[in-house]
């Protein structure tokens, strides 16, 4: 059996969260409004109505295109894409055919150790175009279908990739990066479960070495017939993107091994069975009978979008988090995955920079900032995120201010607080529901680390008295026993003793 190679392309749709719909003044709020409340003659497709394009939607589509390194076209237009379905009363969708907003872009996937992503993975972005969403049909069990037109005419951007994706893991990473870009740009919440973002996969398996991929055009070598591609729809989570691709790889491999062929087709992902099911054999583009929308004049995205100043994008932020703060790859990825978290992190790090002044007397700046970044990164990604998840607190409603969290980290760094007591303080800060000063809690509850030699001496002497056998062993050269004695000092002080001072005193008093 020849070795098979998987070829994957993606079509991603994202709903823009503009105030109004794409071609009318109706409120764009399909999630929260009562069914069929945000409708008018235009989005219900009454005869004789005229669509008027939403300028913000065009600007935002151009932003997405630019973030994906596309060329923003000078000339663009809308086209009618014809098909019949109850959620489309016009019997055509206003979309874009041959002159999209942007073309010829790409996304570099970030290589991460342990994930099945090539370190040179560059995914071509064929086009970014703007269209209108359809109404939403809900099929009930009693053989009836309900149609909600609140979603009809919501601005929708489609991003078509080249068939450059080589694994399920890469497809998932590509979709996740897109979601982050949409959120960073502030153009969509891109929540897959709510249908703000929908992914479709085009997948085929071909014999290795029997085809070429020239800028997205797959050409067979002489004598080889390409296997048809299969389109998989109805995917509503990143995990499902991965699972649907893995399923198709197995299904198509088995067919090839059995000498079977298949027609180009559309299949649906079925979460319950964990497989894809045949929906229909695919129409070709000609079936949609595209033609220019006569009611909307051609337009110039380049002019409408003007100077597009994009915010720092996720990849750049991750790189900066690593370079500027010294975060690990893993911490940088977690801390930049959500804008609210990345903002919180930056504020914490900026506060910690002030504390650096107090610490750098002993060591050099670079050493201290690396240690602090390591400590802060760990405390945010594991301790804080963990404690918030337990309490179901979202970062957007967190009362704890970055200044006070930074102070907590600084207290740990300065050995004024051990991690057990720091965790207790963190829990109190979160449970209080208000912003609290960690130093204040530490002093009030007596959580502070005992570094004072006078105070600790008494405890150390008590331990030495209580464990004569162990002290003899240490004196006879059994060094590891010191850890046991130190543990006893920690226990006697309920974890508050400064371990460094405790060890120093133990050594002195056992000489
Ligand atoms: Zn309307």
């Amino acid at each position: 059996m020849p070795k098979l190679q998987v070829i994957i392309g993606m079509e991603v749709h994202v709903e823009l969260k503009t105030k109004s719909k794409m071609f009318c003044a109706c409120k764009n709020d399909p999630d929260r409004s009562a069914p069929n409340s945000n409708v008018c003659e235009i989005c219900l497709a009454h005869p004789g109505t005229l669509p008027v394009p939403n300028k913000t939607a065009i600007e935002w589509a151009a932003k997405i295109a630019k973030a994906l390194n596309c060329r923003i076209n000078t000339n663009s237009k809308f086209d009618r894409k014809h098909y019949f379905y109850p959620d489309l009363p016009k019997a055509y969708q206003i979309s874009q055919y041959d002159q999209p907003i942007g073309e010829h872009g790409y996304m570099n996937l970030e290589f991460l150790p342990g994930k099945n992503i090539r370190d040179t993975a560059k995914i071509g972005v064929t086009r970014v175009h703007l269209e209108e969403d359809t109404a939403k049909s809900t099929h009930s069990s009693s053989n009836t279908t309900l149609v909600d037109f609140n979603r009809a005419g919501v601005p929708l951007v489609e991003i078509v990739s080249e068939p450059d994706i080589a694994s399920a893991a890469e497809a998932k990473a590509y979709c996740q990066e897109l979601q982050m870009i949409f959120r960073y740009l502030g153009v969509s919440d891109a929540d897959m479960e709510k249908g703000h973002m929908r992914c479709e996969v085009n997948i085929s398996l071909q014999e290795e070495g029997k085809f070429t991929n020239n800028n997205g055009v797959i050409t067979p070598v002489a004598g080889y017939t390409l296997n048809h591609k299969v389109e998989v729809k109805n995917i509503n989570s990143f995990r499902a993107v991965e699972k649907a691709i893995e399923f198709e790889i197995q299904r198509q491999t088995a067919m090839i091994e059995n000498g079977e062929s298949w027609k180009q087709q559309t299949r649906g992902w079925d979460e319950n069975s964990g497989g894809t099911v045949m929906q229909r054999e695919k129409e070709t583009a000609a079936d949609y009978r595209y033609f220019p929308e006569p009611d909307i004049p051609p337009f110039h995205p380049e002019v409408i979008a003007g100077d597009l100043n994009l915010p720092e994008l996720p990849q750049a932020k991750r790189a900066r988090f690593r370079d500027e703060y010294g975060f690990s790859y893993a911490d940088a990825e977690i801390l930049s995955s959500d804008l609210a978290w990345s903002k919180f992190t930056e504020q914490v790090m900026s506060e910690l920079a002030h504390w650096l002044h107090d610490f750098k007397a002993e060591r050099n700046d670079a050493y201290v900032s690396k240690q602090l970044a390591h400590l802060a990164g760990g405390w945010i990604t594991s301790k804080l995120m963990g404690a918030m998840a337990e309490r179901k607190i979202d970062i957007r409603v967190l009362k704890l201010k970055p200044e006070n969290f930074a102070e907590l980290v600084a207290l740990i760094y300065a050995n004024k607080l051990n991690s057990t007591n720091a965790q207790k303080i963190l829990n109190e800060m979160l449970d209080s529901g208000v912003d609290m000063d960690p130093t204040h809690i530490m002093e009030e509850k007596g959580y502070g680390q005992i570094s004072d030699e006078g105070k600790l001496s008494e405890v150390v002497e008590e331990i030495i008295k209580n464990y004569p056998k162990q002290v003899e062993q240490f004196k006879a050269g059994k060094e590891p026993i010191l850890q046991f004695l130190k543990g006893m000092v920690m226990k006697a002080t309920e974890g508050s003793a400064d371990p460094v001072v405790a060890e120093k005193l133990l050594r002195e008093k056992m000489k």
Side-chain angles (χ1 to χ4, degrees), residues 77-183:
K77 66 175 171 60
F78 286 103
D79 298 274
R80 292 184 178 183
K81 177 184 180 181
H82 297 81
Y83 67 97
F84 174 77
Y85 202 73
D87 65 14
L88 191 72
K90 288 201 289 274
Y92 62 84
Q93 178 189 27
I94 303 180
S95 180
Q96 295 196 281
Y97 186 53
D98 55 346
Q99 291 183 344
I101 303 271
E103 287 176 284
H104 312 300
Y106 64 89
M107 180 203 286
N108 286 317
L109 292 184
E110 203 163 53
F111 170 74
L112 286 170
K115 292 187 185 173
N116 189 16
I117 294 172
R118 294 163 295 161
D119 59 359
T120 51
K122 182 178 182 179
I123 312 302
V125 172
T126 319
R127 53 189 278 141
V128 171
H129 75 244
L130 191 55
E131 57 191 29
E132 57 178 340
D133 209 346
T134 57
K136 191 178 177 185
S137 323
T138 308
H139 306 285
S140 79
S141 51
S142 58
N143 253 345
T144 51
T145 295
L146 300 169
V147 185
D148 178 6
F149 287 90
N150 284 347
R151 206 181 70 176
V154 165
L156 197 63
V157 170
E158 179 171 342
I159 295 122
V160 181
S161 89
E162 300 288 350
D164 292 341
I165 300 168
S167 68
E170 285 186 9
K172 186 180 168 195
Y174 170 79
C175 292
Q176 284 176 321
E177 192 71 19
L178 278 179
Q179 183 189 55
M180 258 188 270
I181 290 172
F182 302 146
R183 290 179 174 173

Side-chain angles (χ1 to χ4, degrees), residues 3-9 116 118 163-170 201-208 211 213 218 245-246 248-250 252-253:
K3 206 175 169 211
L4 298 173
Q5 198 178 327
V6 61
I7 302 176
I8 302 166
N116 189 16
R118 294 163 295 161
D164 292 341
I165 300 168
S167 68
E170 285 186 9
V201 178
N202 284 300
I203 173 170
S204 71
L205 291 188
Q206 312 294 346
E207 286 181 25
E208 201 173 72
F211 66 92
N213 179 349
I218 309 287
I245 291 171
E246 280 159 4
E248 273 302 305
I249 291 174
Q250 286 187 5
Q252 293 181 27
T253 302

Side-chain angles (χ1 to χ4, degrees), residues 383-430:
K383 304 281 170 54
L384 178 60
M385 285 184 177
M388 283 169 63
E390 270 172 33
R391 291 164 177 77
K392 297 191 167 56
I393 301 174
D394 187 274
I395 178 73
R396 284 152 200 87
V397 295
L398 179 67
K399 292 286 186 294
L400 168 59
K401 295 239 164 66
E403 300 88 285
N404 279 328
F405 184 79
E407 191 174 320
L408 182 72
V409 173
L411 288 171
I412 305 164
Y413 184 82
N415 279 328
K416 289 184 180 162
L417 193 57
N418 64 35
S419 61
T420 313
N421 286 339
Q423 180 76 59
K424 287 185 198 161
I425 293 179
L426 178 63
N427 292 346
E428 281 190 40
M429 288 161 97
L430 292 175

Side-chain angles (χ1 to χ4, degrees), residues 29 77 161 173 210 282 302 318 351 387 435 438 440 449:
D29 185 25
K77 66 175 171 60
S161 89
K210 294 291 177 69
K282 178 80 176 158
E302 208 188 11
R318 285 196 291 270
E351 288 294 325
D435 187 36
H440 183 76
Q449 191 138 279

Side-chain angles (χ1 to χ4, degrees), residues 21 23-27 38-44 152:
K21 290 188 182 179
F23 298 112
C24 62
C26 286
K27 194 172 164 195
N38 302 323
V39 291
C40 71
E41 300 85 342
I42 294 173
C43 49
L44 289 176

